[in-house]
Amino acid sequence: MRPRRDSSSSSSDKRNKPISISSGDSKPEPSSSQKALRRSIYRQAILVFMAGQSRKWMILVATIWIQAFTGTNFDFSSYSSVLKSVLGISQVQLNYLATASDLGKVFGWSSGLALMYFPLWVVLFMAAFMGFIGYGFQWLVIRQIIALPYFVMFLLCLLAGCSICWFNTVCFVLCIRNFPANQPLAISLTVSFNGVSAALYNLAADAIDSSSTSLFLILNAVIPLLTSVAALIPILRQPSLDPLPPDGVRRDSVIFLFLNILAVLTGIYLLLFGSSSFDTATARVFLGGAIFLLIFPLCIPGIVYARDWFGRAIHSNIRFEGSGFILVDVDDLELHKELLSREPSIHANGSLSHLLLTNGSSASSLSFRNKSAEYTGCCGTIVGKDQLVMLGEEHSTRLLVRRLDFWLYYIAYFCGGTIGLVYSNNLGQIAQSIGQSSTTLVTLYSSFSFFGRLLSAVPDYIRAKFYFARTGWLTIALLPTPIAFILLAASSSTMALHVGTALIGLSSGFIFAAAVSITSELFGPNSVGVNHNILITNIPLGSLIYGFLAAIVYDANASTGLNILTTDMVVCMGRNCYFSTFVWWACISVLGLASSVLLFLRTRHAYDHFEHNRTTQLY
């Protein structure tokens, strides 16, 4: 367009032609120089754009590093037995320390308050120093350099647990700020790496001194601080928040696909080489390979930008509808709410069917209100009473605690993901009681928790081919937990222990990653911050109750059965130490599974109706 305008102006004003020649233009055709200038400006603009994009991906990789090295609560079992021995405490008292670490989640809201008054990098280092102090002083105690009372140790565990929540908040904010069009993909990918921390710390400990279990505490204190220093430069050089063009959003989706594939390879690598103890030289080689896999994502965006043909050849066959973190799109919800808000006023006149048909919808979608009639008796009453009408409706705190769907969801999480987390906290004593190494079990749980988190995004990648309500996927994710506990109670073999640990890690990892999605879908995306913090109060509560139950059974069997007396501490040995606990946990997880089934039955029609409206109105 612009060269055509230049040629027309030159033909109409020929008297200006000598002036243009004498102005110093050495080329015979001014349009050629203008084109060259435009090309130069375009190249500079592309370079500026690419520089901004590269900084954006550097921030994502820095976020992956932060998540990968700040899941320090996963390796509690690696040093819990030594901590118990040094302090001379009972299993019940040790459980209180594990609960204190989980109790830090209750104070996770304080990180959001800090972000209102301090820059992001300051909050990052505040989290790092909280962990440095919390774990550092515990290391001094476990090395018997200093002596601290039990109550102070409880506060140190609480401070260390709070630092993890602050790190998570920083990572969420970085993903939201730098990936406004693909923030669900960014959050679901980065939060998955929190599950590989135990495997990474196991490799790091073996690379330094495989005989020292107290080494985990000093690594927990120092490595997150060093990671924060490494992530500081990308965070301070955040790119401008210019909106991406449609092809840019699609290209980012391809990059995220590559990054997810690389994440799976990283998880498999750590599962193979991080679950066993090696000599120092071998462990250093494997640790170097893990660090390389964490740095390699920096190369992926450049590869995708250089080879854009991949997007045309493969990406066109894949529909990216979001991630496993937040499924509900704001525009979709507004359309969904608009349609349903007209239903009460129009349905009385019998014209609702006509309204939906004129909008391209089928009248058959209205049957979701009457499908609760399929259930009779007590089940029909529970499923049909105060049934959820639509997804994304905002719930205040008062409305939230009065809704049956929330309490079914709360029980499902409380008896599913939380019980898996408590199991991981007890892995040290479980392994010790049957003469196994806790390192292998901790890494196994951590790695499969990582795979579970990655799997939480699969329903959205296959959404175009196969759609299923998110609460239905929650029910499927809860299935392995009771199966695992029944297997653990039925057999004391090493294979049963490894398989059960893997199943529990896979299940709990999926639930942890998908929880915010479900909360935003059922109770409103704008209220998800408050509502999800209310939901996760079940974690410290479950940590206290389930851990207390396990500790009572453990101490009871230690006093009556085979045991080892070490100073003031009694160590329980044998299968009976946790047999009753596994039976109780299996029954409790069945209750969580039943609660998730009821939640699915109560919400599936709202999910189906939402998906029907979304596909017919937007596509």
Side-chain angles (χ1 to χ4, degrees), residues 125-137:
F125 277 94
M126 290 171 69
F129 279 106
M130 280 193 291
F132 182 77
I133 294 171
Y135 289 114
F137 276 94

Side-chain angles (χ1 to χ4, degrees), residues 296-310:
F296 185 71
L298 288 172
C299 305
I300 297 296
I303 294 174
V304 173
Y305 280 110
R307 306 192 65 178
D308 200 31
W309 63 265
F310 179 86

Side-chain angles (χ1 to χ4, degrees), residues 68 77 138 185 189 200 290 294 349 353 469 606:
S77 296
Q138 290 183 67
L185 288 172
L189 174 68
L200 288 170
L294 291 175
N349 298 325
S353 177

Side-chain angles (χ1 to χ4, degrees), residues 481-492:
T481 302
I483 295 174
F485 283 125
I486 292 172
L487 180 63
L488 290 170
S491 175
S492 59

Side-chain angles (χ1 to χ4, degrees), residues 177-508:
R177 285 184 181 178
N178 294 280
F179 296 91
N182 287 298
Q183 66 182 33
L185 288 172
I187 293 175
S188 65
L189 174 68
T190 55
V191 76
S192 299
F193 278 87
N194 199 244
V196 300
S197 295
L200 288 170
Y201 279 106
N202 179 44
L203 281 176
D206 284 345
I208 300 173
D209 183 6
S210 59
S211 63
S212 175
T213 54
S214 62
L215 187 61
F216 283 91
L217 279 169
I218 193 62
L219 291 176
N220 287 352
V222 174
I223 291 181
L225 181 60
L226 297 178
T227 305
S228 300
V229 173
L232 181 61
I233 295 178
I235 291 175
L236 292 178
R237 291 175 54 83
Q238 292 190 61
S240 58
L241 301 179
D242 298 328
L244 284 175
D247 61 331
V249 176
R250 195 179 75 168
R251 189 182 298 111
D252 281 5
S253 299
V254 177
I255 295 174
F256 277 113
L257 177 61
F258 269 111
L259 291 175
N260 275 279
I261 295 173
L262 183 61
V264 172
L265 295 177
T266 304
I268 295 174
Y269 179 89
L270 290 172
L271 177 63
L272 294 176
F273 303 116
S275 58
S276 302
S277 296
F278 301 97
D279 59 85
T280 302
T282 305
R284 287 175 181 173
V285 173
F286 289 147
L287 179 62
I291 298 300
F292 171 78
L293 288 174
L294 291 175
I295 296 176
F296 185 71
L298 288 172
C299 305
I300 297 296
I303 294 174
V304 173
Y305 280 110
R307 306 192 65 178
D308 200 31
W309 63 265
F310 179 86
R312 293 191 298 269
I314 297 179
H315 184 268
S316 59
N317 297 323
I318 304 175
R319 289 178 62 182
F320 293 90
E321 302 285 353
S323 78
F325 202 77
I326 299 179
L327 168 65
V328 179
D329 183 82
V330 176
D331 295 332
D332 293 352
L333 279 177
E334 290 303 319
L335 175 61
H336 186 59
K337 291 176 183 178
E338 181 182 355
L339 285 174
L340 290 181
S341 64
R342 302 184 207 175
E343 291 190 16
S345 60
I346 300 176
H347 188 63
N349 298 325
S351 58
L352 177 60
S353 177
H354 173 71
L355 170 67
L356 292 180
L357 286 172
T358 56
N359 284 298
S361 300
S362 170
S364 61
S365 64
L366 303 178
S367 60
F368 84 103
R369 287 182 177 274
N370 301 321
K371 287 194 176 180
S372 61
E374 298 175 0
Y375 306 99
T376 58
C378 179
C379 182
T381 303
I382 296 176
V383 172
K385 184 180 179 181
D386 193 25
Q387 197 170 0
L388 191 71
V389 176
M390 66 176 180
L391 298 184
E393 183 179 4
E394 300 298 334
H395 285 65
S396 63
T397 302
R398 179 177 298 180
L399 179 60
L400 183 77
V401 298
R402 292 168 58 187
R403 183 168 279 282
L404 178 60
D405 295 312
F406 170 75
W407 292 111
L408 290 173
Y409 182 31
Y410 192 94
I411 294 173
Y413 197 117
F414 180 71
C415 299
T418 298
I419 206 169
L421 181 62
V422 177
Y423 173 79
S424 72
N425 289 339
N426 284 267
L427 280 176
Q429 283 67 52
I430 293 173
Q432 186 183 47
S433 66
I434 58 176
Q436 297 287 330
S437 170
S438 63
T439 300
T440 301
L441 293 180
V442 171
T443 303
L444 199 62
Y445 176 88
S446 174
S447 299
F448 274 88
S449 174
F450 170 73
F451 290 129
R453 293 166 190 252
L454 285 179
L455 283 174
S456 67
V458 171
D460 296 315
Y461 281 110
I462 64 174
R463 184 177 174 185
K465 304 292 184 182
F466 176 74
Y467 177 77
F468 193 49
R470 180 80 62 185
T471 48
W473 289 110
L474 175 68
T475 301
I476 295 174
L478 282 168
L479 272 173
T481 302
I483 295 174
F485 283 125
I486 292 172
L487 180 63
L488 290 170
S491 175
S492 59
S493 66
T494 303
M495 180 61 70
L497 184 62
H498 288 178
V499 172
T501 301
L503 288 175
I504 294 171
L506 190 71
S507 176
S508 58

